Amino acid sequence: QVQVVESGGGNVQAGGSLRLSCAVSGRIRSISAVGWYRQAAGKQRELVATFPTGRSPNYADSVKGRFTVSRDNDKQAVYLQMNSLKPEDTAVYYCNARLRPGAWDRESDYWGQGTQVTVSS
């Protein structure tokens, strides 16, 4: 089985910073990409940032210049440093890992349970 576990959410004032962490563990043959998504109340889940293996990260326009995604391949971890937070960044943030559990398994998306980020004005 594969586990994806986020941590680091919380409450912060506008202009502040938070760092989210995500640990991917279990039966993993290969990881093609990791990333972060978010879902605000009453809205659809949206991409925040992705980090394909061996390539450069991609960011949503709304977070460019403020958020930075990084990964530690040895620890199978991914991080999201969020600076200059705005009230509109308030959402549940989900970690995503696109991976293949075994050599004969198909590649699939695995999700964490989500962590709440609340930015007050």
Side-chain angles (χ1 to χ4, degrees):
Q1 281 191 333
V2 176
Q3 294 83 40
V4 179
V5 179
E6 306 102 335
S7 61
N11 299 320
V12 64
Q13 288 193 327
S17 298
L18 280 175
R19 185 174 186 251
L20 305 183
S21 300
C22 173
V24 184
S25 62
R27 184 168 172 260
I28 299 169
R29 173 75 173 183
S30 61
I31 298 176
S32 62
V34 291
W36 291 93
Y37 291 71
R38 67 186 181 187
Q39 187 167 16
K43 295 187 177 181
Q44 290 188 330
R45 190 173 298 189
E46 63 176 6
L47 170 72
V48 176
T50 61
F51 201 153
T53 299
R55 301 176 65 182
S56 299
N58 300 298
Y59 297 92
D61 288 342
S62 59
V63 306
K64 280 181 181 176
R66 300 188 298 122
F67 290 11
T68 302
V69 63
S70 59
R71 57 188 289 180
D72 184 330
N73 293 328
D74 290 338
K75 296 181 180 178
Q76 294 183 328
V78 58
Y79 309 96
L80 185 67
Q81 177 65 43
M82 305 184 292
N83 298 328
S84 302
L85 282 161
K86 305 175 180 179
E88 50 263 44
D89 294 318
T90 295
V92 177
Y93 284 70
Y94 296 91
C95 179
N96 167 269
R98 178 162 294 177
L99 60 88
R100 192 185 306 275
W104 304 106
D105 293 322
R106 61 186 297 178
E107 191 172 76
S108 300
D109 284 315
Y110 292 82
W111 297 89
Q113 78 287 354
T115 185
Q116 177 70 45
V117 172
T118 302
V119 184
S120 56
S121 57

